[in-house]
Amino acid sequence: MDETLGFMNQGESGVVRDIAGGVSLREKLTALGLVRGKVVHMVQNNGIGPVIVALGEGRLALGRGMAQRIFVDEIAFKEE
């Protein structure tokens, strides 16, 4: 099942698999550091408005429409 960043729950992490969009969207996300293979952690997703993701040491606020174009593979972390 394809999951987008817009459907991730708070606290979940994933690896960016693909970006469904044109050249300008890809360029903008690349400039922000959001590229294939990058691990993202969902900080806030209330179901409305922007989502906030942790990307390395930084945070990004992305519009919901943009988040729906970023496909991710969920990462399951084991707590020790």
Side-chain angles (χ1 to χ4, degrees):
M1 185 169 134
D2 289 339
E3 181 174 10
T4 65
L5 201 57
F7 286 110
M8 285 178 65
N9 294 316
Q10 185 171 324
E12 291 181 334
S13 294
V15 177
V16 176
R17 181 172 32 98
D18 196 16
I19 298 170
V23 173
S24 63
L25 175 63
R26 289 175 186 268
E27 287 176 351
K28 182 174 185 170
L29 293 175
T30 297
L32 294 171
L34 197 59
V35 294
R36 273 189 205 151
K38 203 67 152 168
V39 175
V40 295
H41 180 75
M42 183 59 68
V43 175
Q44 178 181 311
N45 186 355
N46 296 329
I48 56 171
V51 299
I52 300 174
V53 296
L55 183 64
E57 296 296 318
R59 304 286 185 270
L60 292 176
L62 301 169
R64 188 149 300 278
M66 189 179 288
Q68 296 293 70
R69 295 175 177 267
I70 303 167
F71 291 89
V72 294
D73 290 323
E74 188 177 343
I75 299 174
F77 286 107
K78 292 181 183 178
E79 291 191 31
E80 297 182 30

